[in-house]
Amino acid sequence: MENISSKIAKNNSKAEAPITANKNENPYEIVKELIKESVEALRLSQGVYSILEKPARVMEVSIPVKMDDGQIRNFTGYRSQHIDILGPTKGGIRFHPKVDLDEVKALSIWMSLKSAILGLPFGGGKGGVIVDPTQLSECELENLSRSYIRALIPIIGPEKDIPAPDVNTNPQVMGWMLDEFDRLRGYNVPGFITGKPIIIGGSQGRIEATGRGVVITIVQAAKRLNIDLKNAKAAIQGFGNVGSMTAKFLHELGVKIIGISDASGGIYSQNGIDVPELIKYVNNTKAVMNFPGTTRIDNDELFSLPVDILVPAALENQITERTAPMIQAKIVAEAANGPTTPAGDQILDEKGVFIIPDILCNSGGVTVSYFEWVQNTMGFYWKEKDVNEKLEEKMIYAFDDVFRMTVEKDIDMRKASYMVGVGRIAEALKARGWVKDWSMPINCKA
Ligand SMILES: NC(=O)C1=CN([C@@H]2O[C@H](COP(=O)(O)OP(=O)(O)OC[C@H]3O[C@@H](n4cnc5c(N)ncnc54)[C@H](O)[C@@H]3O)[C@@H](O)[C@H]2O)C=CC1
Ligand SMILES: O=C(O)CCC(=O)C(=O)O
């Protein structure tokens, strides 16, 4: 019988698997291919592809940090700014040992597409630092966050590029980063960063926004597929910000969540996991493992569960040629960025699984970040109810736009979402005179 520590070590080693293992799993290669396909399907010029295939600006920075023992460690970080023709670039900052440049580039392109699909006045940006934050003290983490902002100062700002949280960064990290930016500028600039604590200009509802948006898209998909959510079951991979909030809102709708995993491993309960209690438990223990009333499962078992809805809410490349055949769900809601490889995608498609693609599914986060930036600019703050209503309206419009494209062109949701996103960016390229030979009009309803 396997003991607890060897099983945790095994699960952690899965979490540590290289993200860009081979060309077919390199997120930058994957996103370029999808953009190419949609440029062709929209009959746009090669010029559109050449502009969109690479970020306009990528910065690599070294980030010296004074550690608690007095030594200096020099970390490596990146910021990729894809395209800014719809507005300043915008997107999160990730702290993870497996961050690499191609991953950050892909994440910035996905941000451009999300904003275009949601009709937000932003381009895509993304940042990452190669670091395992669990190995840092709180003081070292603060020094790292501040040093990263000092390194990026020439290219960031509320009208240039606006960061936000992503994997392993949170409102506290945003608060330190805002404070560093303000010190360098010499005055308060709350619109420089979003996802910050409410007391210093954060928006009501931003912590919940990505998960809330994921659930709004699941509700829309369930309506189209005639799935009664009150009798539905779900499994969720990842129980950080996005996974836990998705679980909370699905639970509130009456969906029975029978499996949840995080980097420590997975838990299962045939009768449904008590999500509010699990959130409290994880706040204390930092991991889902050993939650009372559950049995332990691994990631493969989680993917194999007999559920209606599967939500990958962790990292890239989880649904692959190997894991896709195990999936029994009718809906895969991509809360994570890039959780499905092209081979995994094809297998799910052949099985008739309805995929809500990442650039639509998880766009609730950047949408409420947009609301936060608007509130910071106005200096007038909205009630949570207003934020949530505006979010729901935008997400439903965006879902409808993508679904309409799926039906009209007889294509899957991923291709449709890329066509909507690429089409709108191409429309802006034409409006600015960057490209001339353009044929297909895309209406921006979102
Ligand atoms: N935070 C946000 O507002 C947004 C996040 N996303 C995406 O959602 C995903 C999750 O992000 P957050 O929840 O913010 O990060 P987080 O750092 O709060 O949580 C990540 C979760 O994934 C788990 N995890 C890591 N490796 C795993 C593995 N191999 N198996 C199972 N679980 C694993 C971690 O233990 C943790 O529970 C990422 O892909 C991120 O880019 C997308 C849109 C917005
Ligand atoms: O809130 C934001 O601006 C960006 C969130 C993000 O990083 C993402 O959608 O992947």
Side-chain angles (χ1 to χ4, degrees):
M1 177 101 169
E2 217 173 6
N3 67 23
I4 296 181
S5 51
S6 71
K7 193 141 187 191
I8 292 177
K10 208 166 109 192
N11 276 308
N12 277 339
S13 73
K14 273 185 202 159
E16 292 300 309
I19 290 166
T20 53
N22 61 52
K23 188 167 185 283
N24 297 336
E25 295 192 355
N26 178 323
Y28 184 42
E29 298 300 329
I30 294 171
V31 70
K32 281 196 288 186
E33 192 53 37
L34 285 161
I35 289 179
K36 193 180 212 170
E37 278 174 20
S38 53
V39 164
E40 283 165 9
L42 288 163
R43 282 174 274 116
L44 300 172
S45 70
Q46 166 63 21
V48 173
Y49 176 69
S50 341
I51 294 167
L52 295 188
E53 72 158 333
K54 50 186 172 196
R57 183 186 288 119
V58 177
M59 193 158 165
E60 176 176 328
V61 290
S62 62
I63 311 165
V65 175
K66 190 164 188 189
M67 307 300 280
D68 291 346
D69 63 4
Q71 301 283 318
I72 301 288
R73 260 185 79 187
N74 204 350
F75 294 87
T76 300
Y78 307 100
R79 184 77 186 170
S80 169
Q81 300 173 339
H82 178 231
I83 190 162
D84 62 357
I85 57 165
L86 285 168
T89 49
K90 170 123 196 60
I93 294 170
R94 174 175 292 197
F95 288 172
H96 195 276
K98 296 293 173 192
V99 159
D100 72 35
L101 187 52
D102 275 357
E103 181 197 31
V104 174
K105 285 181 182 177
L107 286 161
S108 72
I109 299 179
W110 283 324
M111 288 308 307
S112 294
L113 295 168
K114 279 182 218 185
S115 286
I117 292 169
L118 267 290
L120 310 179
F122 292 134
K126 200 80 171 201
V129 178
I130 305 171
V131 59
D132 180 354
T134 63
Q135 300 304 308
L136 302 187
S137 70
E138 192 181 357
C139 185
E140 290 166 342
L141 191 61
E142 176 175 352
N143 289 344
L144 174 77
S145 306
R146 289 181 182 277
S147 187
Y148 180 57
I149 291 307
R150 287 196 294 278
L152 291 184
I153 200 75
I155 62 161
I156 50 179
E159 286 126 14
K160 283 187 191 171
D161 183 17
I162 307 143
D166 190 74
V167 174
N168 289 330
T169 57
N170 58 23
Q172 176 60 82
V173 172
M174 299 301 109
W176 292 325
M177 290 182 171
L178 174 66
D179 188 64
E180 193 63 27
F181 187 85
D182 286 353
R183 283 176 191 222
L184 293 167
R185 280 285 179 93
Y187 53 92
N188 281 7
V189 192
F192 149 66
I193 205 162
T194 61
K196 54 195 172 283
I198 289 175
I199 189 73
I200 51 172
S203 178
Q204 299 287 345
R206 175 60 185 87
I207 286 182
E208 298 84 358
T210 310
R212 189 182 288 281
V214 169
V215 174
I216 292 168
T217 65
I218 291 172
V219 170
Q220 295 305 307
K223 273 188 198 159
R224 265 82 173 181
L225 300 175
N226 289 321
I227 294 173
D228 173 12
L229 288 177
K230 287 205 161 38
N231 290 313
K233 290 183 190 157
I236 301 179
Q237 185 202 36
F239 203 70
N241 171 269
V242 179
S244 65
M245 289 301 130
T246 301
K248 170 176 151 50
F249 295 121
L250 282 178
H251 180 79
E252 283 173 9
L253 289 179
V255 176
K256 195 187 276 184
I257 298 166
I258 61 171
I260 294 180
S261 70
D262 64 14
S264 71
I267 55 172
Y268 168 76
S269 163
Q270 191 184 354
N271 301 324
I273 295 165
D274 183 339
V275 175
E277 282 304 315
L278 179 63
I279 291 175
K280 285 188 215 154
Y281 177 85
V282 171
N283 278 342
N284 291 325
T285 62
K286 308 293 170 218
V288 299
M289 288 284 272
N290 302 324
F291 180 59
T294 62
T295 52
R296 290 164 58 181
I297 53 172
D298 63 24
N299 263 322
D300 282 0
E301 288 166 322
L302 181 102
F303 280 156
S304 314
L305 289 174
V307 291
D308 304 279
I309 304 154
L310 174 68
V311 184
L315 294 171
E316 294 93 318
N317 296 336
Q318 300 299 306
I319 301 179
T320 60
E321 199 169 4
R322 189 184 70 76
T323 57
M326 303 170 186
I327 291 173
Q328 301 192 48
K330 301 183 187 82
I331 297 174
V332 168
E334 292 185 335
N337 285 305
T340 311
T341 64
D345 216 1
Q346 194 181 334
I347 293 166
L348 293 187
D349 197 42
E350 283 161 11
K351 285 162 72 121
V353 177
F354 187 95
I355 300 177
I356 311 173
D358 48 6
I359 54 175
L360 170 65
C361 188
N362 69 35
S363 56
V366 68
T367 302
V368 174
S369 276
Y370 163 57
F371 299 156
E372 183 170 327
W373 178 77
V374 168
Q375 292 170 76
N376 295 150
T377 308
M378 291 189 303
F380 178 76
Y381 290 84
W382 308 341
K383 296 192 187 91
E384 188 175 355
K385 180 174 158 287
D386 298 333
V387 170
N388 293 344
E389 279 172 10
K390 288 185 205 321
L391 171 66
E392 184 162 21
E393 184 182 55
K394 276 203 160 293
M395 296 287 307
I396 293 177
Y397 266 134
F399 188 99
D400 285 348
D401 282 346
V402 173
F403 191 74
R404 196 176 317 111
M405 182 71 90
T406 297
V407 174
E408 278 171 16
K409 303 278 170 203
D410 192 20
I411 52 177
D412 60 51
M413 288 285 282
R414 184 165 335 268
K415 289 200 178 79
S417 63
Y418 272 74
M419 282 175 73
V420 172
V422 168
R424 286 183 185 152
I425 299 172
E427 213 178 324
L429 286 172
K430 182 182 176 245
R432 285 176 177 271
W434 291 30
V435 290
K436 308 280 179 210
D437 48 340
W438 150 273
S439 53
M440 186 175 168
I442 307 274
N443 291 327
C444 183
K445 296 225 176 59

